[in-house]
Amino acid sequence: MKGDILLGIAGLEAAYGKIRVLHGISLEVREGSFVTIVGANGAGKTSLLKCLMGLLRAKGEMKLRGKSILYLPAHGRVGLGIGYIPEGRHVFPELSVEENILVTATRNRSVRREDLLERSYSLFPRLGERRVQAAGSLSGGEQQMLAFARALALDPSLVIADEISLGLAPIVVDRLFEVLIALRDRGTTILLAEQNAKRALEAADRAYVLEAGKVTIEGEASRLATDPKIVEAYLQNL
Ligand code: ATP
């Protein structure tokens, strides 16, 4: 139900070999909200999202709708309604736009291929115009749209997105944020890690600041956007 805790983590820790990168992270994402995690390069944003997707082993508590998902493999988490947009887009370069979108559908036979494609192209008409083009030959912005379309194809209840604006033209970034906000407005829950703190704080309801693997500040995004500490550290030079 809207407002209930959809995703909750507490005391989460993770490491690459012996190097610990997350040091006891706790956060909550409420159903229907848009939450952002901001922080500098290397703060641990990507590592945290990988833990949430089951791509990096974590210790601590991690619950979706009150049930632990800590030991669930990535595909199990997708099956529970989590859509993931990884950093760096990761489309299949040799496959066409259409094939990239349909790759997701092979696991879920209840979805009609036509509906899946239709949904993607209505969100991003540009992809419809390029449906047979190899994904590797798309522009950076188009590849990011494709990564969005693929993650959204199965209509996830929680979208986890990593650094959506990196290296993209402002007009494309505007469109991607518009899509996330529209999804939130129709009830989808959003968790976005983003280095572009200005855009992220404008779009989100709540925010967490991550520094060296720890949450240092949390609160309403609009309040954080005017917090002098945040303005000085993350917003001044934008
Ligand atoms: P960025 O915005 O630059 O991606 P981030 O906040 O997402 O930064 P992470 O990518 O999670 O940060 O990195 C957190 C720490 O973990 C960094 O010190 C990084 O060097 C380290 N790290 C990330 N991936 C690995 C890896 N595969 N092996 C070893 N250390 C890693």
Side-chain angles (χ1 to χ4, degrees):
M1 230 176 59
K2 196 166 176 356
D4 287 351
I5 297 172
L6 177 63
L7 177 72
I9 63 174
L12 202 81
E13 299 187 352
Y16 295 99
K18 288 193 175 142
I19 304 169
R20 290 216 298 156
V21 290
L22 301 181
H23 308 274
I25 305 236
S26 299
L27 65 80
E28 276 175 13
V29 179
R30 290 186 181 269
E31 195 106 44
S33 68
F34 187 149
V35 174
T36 186
I37 302 167
V38 296
N41 267 138
K45 304 179 298 297
T46 296
S47 303
L48 175 57
L49 298 194
K50 283 186 175 167
C51 290
L52 294 174
M53 283 316 296
L55 303 171
L56 175 63
R57 187 132 50 101
K59 278 196 283 192
E61 196 178 286
M62 188 189 299
K63 290 182 173 168
L64 188 74
R65 297 188 186 88
K67 283 198 184 141
S68 178
I69 55 166
L70 194 64
Y71 301 110
L72 203 64
H75 64 85
R77 299 180 199 212
V78 172
L80 289 180
I82 303 182
Y84 180 46
I85 305 169
E87 184 179 23
R89 322 200 237 279
H90 297 290
V91 296
F92 298 105
E94 314 285 330
L95 300 186
S96 69
V97 165
E98 192 145 304
E99 287 163 342
N100 265 276
I101 297 168
L102 291 174
V103 161
T104 318
T106 55
R107 281 197 176 274
N108 191 328
R109 286 167 199 281
S110 64
V111 185
R112 287 178 56 228
R113 294 158 59 102
E114 296 73 25
D115 292 345
L116 239 155
L117 295 171
E118 178 55 41
R119 194 181 307 153
S120 303
Y121 301 151
S122 64
L123 219 45
F124 299 108
R126 185 88 73 86
L127 294 180
E129 294 160 18
R130 289 166 169 69
R131 61 181 74 203
V132 295
Q133 192 172 324
S137 66
L138 296 173
S139 72
E142 289 160 357
Q143 288 190 17
Q144 185 63 294
M145 291 175 199
L146 183 54
F148 263 60
R150 204 175 51 192
L152 301 179
L154 293 177
D155 206 11
S157 46
L158 170 64
V159 174
I160 293 183
D162 194 358
E163 208 76 71
I164 59 167
S165 63
L166 204 67
L168 300 181
I171 190 168
V172 177
V173 177
D174 285 346
R175 177 66 193 136
L176 298 173
F177 270 100
E178 251 174 49
V179 167
L180 290 183
I181 290 168
L183 284 169
R184 188 271 320 270
D185 290 347
R186 40 154 270 224
T188 307
T189 308
I190 312 287
L191 178 61
L192 166 71
E194 183 59 63
Q195 231 185 96
N196 186 339
K198 187 171 185 299
R199 300 295 274 262
L201 292 175
E202 276 167 11
D205 306 307
R206 280 188 71 75
Y208 289 82
V209 177
L210 205 59
E211 283 175 37
K214 288 186 185 145
V215 172
T216 51
I217 305 174
E218 64 177 276
E220 250 179 70
S222 56
R223 187 178 64 71
L224 265 61
T226 57
D227 181 323
K229 273 187 286 185
I230 304 218
V231 172
E232 193 191 339
Y234 300 106
L235 303 178
Q236 225 156 38
N237 299 320
L238 289 174

